[in-house]
């Protein structure tokens, strides 16, 4: 049987994507790692002509985009639209086209990734989220297929990625609420299968702990999804236990649901969201939100991937996009 890049990776005890980067002479790989890979290649008598798909005449000038949502829900959360706009702006500048698919579950997303890779329709893939034990990341790494993730993966060294500092953004947000006199601060987050959900929860907890405030698990809710109804139901659960002084939500749609519950029950509680989608300023009251600059996330993801595809030397494998707290009436 022919020796493959996976065999080299196994012998060198590195990932297939690392072997691919060594072969393409990426400056991000250390000399020690290069030595291991070259030694394994020599031992196995591996010839890197399998990299032929990276030749210019094999390029489709197309990027595959996997959207972790159902098509009918896409316009309910503008984050994906904003990120896609950023991706499209950079891709168009470099004469690349976009081919996208929706995935209603991680398994659906993996099926579409398989299709993109095996069909040779695209040169590289952009994933719009990162999961714990991410199936797509594992598969693309194993195949050494070019990809970038919008979201921090667990393996931050061998993967290209773009994200905000979600821990710090939430830490700063909670500190702002504490400075406003709030001590009982509730938290409504998304499913913990998302890495950014974990980071935001940790930022919330750390801010309370460093101010010697109690982290009350009864005031922490993991919503099933990022919807207005989930925000409404989560706030109902919290208020059945205790009415807090403030509520941090990790998505504006969750915040919309919280505001609806508070209006219906005539409660005065400070509320914050995340993503700063356009509808936030038109809520009653206008929602304070963390602007994560979704368009910049998409733009930088496309930039990283296309540079790698075109062999442009790049000393970084990730970008951290800054955030801004936009304060409105919901925290007055």
């Amino acid at each position: 049987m022919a020796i493959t890049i996976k065999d080299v990776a196994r012998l060198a005890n590195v990932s297939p994507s690392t072997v691919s980067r060594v072969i393409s002479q990426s400056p991000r790989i250390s000399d020690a790692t290069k030595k291991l890979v070259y030694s394994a290649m020599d031992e196995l008598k591996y010839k890197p002509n399998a990299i032929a798909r990276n030749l210019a005449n094999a390029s489709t000038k197309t990027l595959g985009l996997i959207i972790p949502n159902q098509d009918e829900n896409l316009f309910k959360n503008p984050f994906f639209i904003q990120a896609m706009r950023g991706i499209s702006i950079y891709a168009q500048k470099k004469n690349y086209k976009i081919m996208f698919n929706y995935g209603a579950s991680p398994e659906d997303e993996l099926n579409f990734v398989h299709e993109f890779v095996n069909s040779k329709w695209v040169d590289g893939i952009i994933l719009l989220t990162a999961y714990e034990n991410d199936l797509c990341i594992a598969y693309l790494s194993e195949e050494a297929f070019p990809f970038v993730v919008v979201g921090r993966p667990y393996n931050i060294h061998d993967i290209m990625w773009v994200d905000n500092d979600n821990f710090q953004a939430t830490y700063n947000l909670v500190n702002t609420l504490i400075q406003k006199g709030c001590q009982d601060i509730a938290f409504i987050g998304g499913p913990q299968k998302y890495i950014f959900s974990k980071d935001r929860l940790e930022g919330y907890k750390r801010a309370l702990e460093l101010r010697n405030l109690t982290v009350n698990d009864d005031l922490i809710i993991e919503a099933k999804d990022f919807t207005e109804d989930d925000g409404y139901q989560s706030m109902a659960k919290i208020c059945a236990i205790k009415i807090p002084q403030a509520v941090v939500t990790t998505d504006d749609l969750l915040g919309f649901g919280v505001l609806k519950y508070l209006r219906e029950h005539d409660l005065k509680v400070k509320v914050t969201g995340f993503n700063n989608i356009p509808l936030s300023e038109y809520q009653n009251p206008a929602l304070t939100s963390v602007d994560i600059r979704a368009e910049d996330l998409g733009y930088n993801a496309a930039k990283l991937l296309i540079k790698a595809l075109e062999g442009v030397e790049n000393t970084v494998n990730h970008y951290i996009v800054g955030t801004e707290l936009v304060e409105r009436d919901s925290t007055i």
Side-chain angles (χ1 to χ4, degrees):
M1 293 179 63
I3 300 299
T4 70
I5 201 171
K6 298 177 188 177
D7 299 316
V8 177
R10 193 176 302 112
L11 182 58
N13 196 28
V14 297
S15 70
S17 59
T18 297
V19 177
S20 178
R21 291 191 178 101
V22 170
I23 293 170
S24 64
Q25 300 181 348
S26 169
R28 299 201 303 269
I29 306 299
S30 70
D31 289 339
T33 300
K34 289 178 182 177
K35 186 176 180 180
L36 283 173
V37 172
Y38 287 137
S39 176
M41 288 168 60
D42 288 341
E43 183 174 338
L44 295 172
K45 296 182 173 55
Y46 174 74
K47 303 298 182 185
N49 54 6
I51 309 301
R53 63 177 167 81
N54 286 331
L55 295 174
N57 61 8
S59 174
T60 65
K61 299 289 284 188
T62 302
L63 305 180
L65 180 60
I66 305 297
I67 304 169
N69 213 326
Q70 298 180 35
D71 54 357
E72 63 266 26
N73 293 331
L74 182 61
F75 293 97
K76 293 182 181 178
N77 195 333
F79 165 78
F80 298 112
I81 298 297
Q82 293 169 325
M84 288 170 66
R85 174 175 164 76
I87 291 167
S88 298
I89 289 172
Y90 190 83
Q92 188 174 37
K93 182 188 298 187
K94 295 296 182 177
N95 296 315
Y96 277 76
K97 301 179 288 295
I98 305 294
M99 180 181 295
F100 62 89
N101 258 318
Y102 308 99
S105 69
E107 292 74 21
D108 276 351
E109 293 171 37
L110 181 60
N111 288 335
F112 288 126
V113 166
H114 281 158
E115 187 175 347
F116 277 149
V117 172
N118 295 326
S119 67
K120 304 189 189 311
W121 289 337
V122 301
D123 294 339
I125 291 175
I126 299 175
L127 304 175
L128 279 181
T129 194
Y131 300 101
E132 185 176 25
N133 302 317
D134 197 293
L135 300 173
C136 293
I137 290 176
Y139 171 74
L140 289 167
S141 297
E142 182 71 13
E143 292 294 315
F145 193 86
F147 73 101
V148 65
V149 186
V150 177
R152 180 183 63 81
Y154 275 112
N155 177 8
I156 62 174
H157 300 296
D158 290 330
I159 294 171
M160 293 186 293
W161 58 280
V162 178
D163 203 0
N164 312 112
D165 188 336
N166 286 292
F167 173 93
Q168 191 65 50
T170 313
Y171 177 91
N172 293 342
L173 171 59
V174 175
N175 266 330
T176 298
L177 292 171
I178 293 172
Q179 290 167 5
K180 291 177 179 291
C182 300
Q183 294 192 352
D184 290 324
I185 303 174
F187 180 90
I188 301 175
Q192 291 292 290
K193 67 180 180 180
Y194 297 109
I195 295 174
F196 71 84
S197 291
K198 291 178 177 289
D199 288 344
R200 291 175 186 175
L201 176 57
E202 287 306 308
Y204 159 83
K205 288 181 176 179
R206 186 67 60 84
L208 293 179
E209 290 167 352
L210 291 183
R211 292 299 189 97
N212 294 317
L213 297 176
T214 301
V215 176
N216 185 345
D217 289 337
D218 290 336
L219 298 184
I220 299 174
I221 300 291
E222 177 183 342
K224 293 180 180 178
D225 203 351
F226 301 101
T227 69
E228 185 172 337
D229 184 61
D230 284 311
Y232 185 98
Q233 298 301 331
S234 296
M235 192 60 194
K237 291 177 183 177
I238 289 170
C239 289
I241 297 168
K242 183 178 186 178
I243 297 175
Q245 295 171 291
V247 181
V248 172
T249 71
T250 61
D251 188 281
D252 287 345
L253 296 183
L254 292 172
F256 295 174
V258 170
L259 290 176
K260 181 179 179 182
Y261 181 90
L262 295 175
R263 287 195 303 271
E264 289 182 0
H265 294 81
D266 195 25
L267 297 173
K268 300 297 183 183
V269 177
K270 296 185 188 326
V271 183
T272 67
F274 250 90
N275 295 354
N276 194 37
I277 65 177
L279 286 175
S280 297
E281 62 180 308
Y282 300 107
Q283 296 300 298
N284 180 24
L287 180 65
T288 291
S289 184
V290 177
D291 190 339
I292 64 172
R293 294 165 58 189
E295 187 173 309
D296 287 348
L297 289 171
Y299 184 93
N300 283 296
K303 183 178 180 180
L304 267 179
L305 181 56
I306 291 174
K307 278 190 171 185
L309 291 172
E310 297 186 342
V312 177
E313 185 173 316
N314 196 354
T315 57
V316 300
N317 75 324
H318 72 280
Y319 289 113
I320 298 295
V321 175
T323 61
E324 178 188 3
L325 178 61
V326 181
E327 295 197 64
R328 299 190 180 97
D329 293 345
S330 68
T331 52
I332 292 178

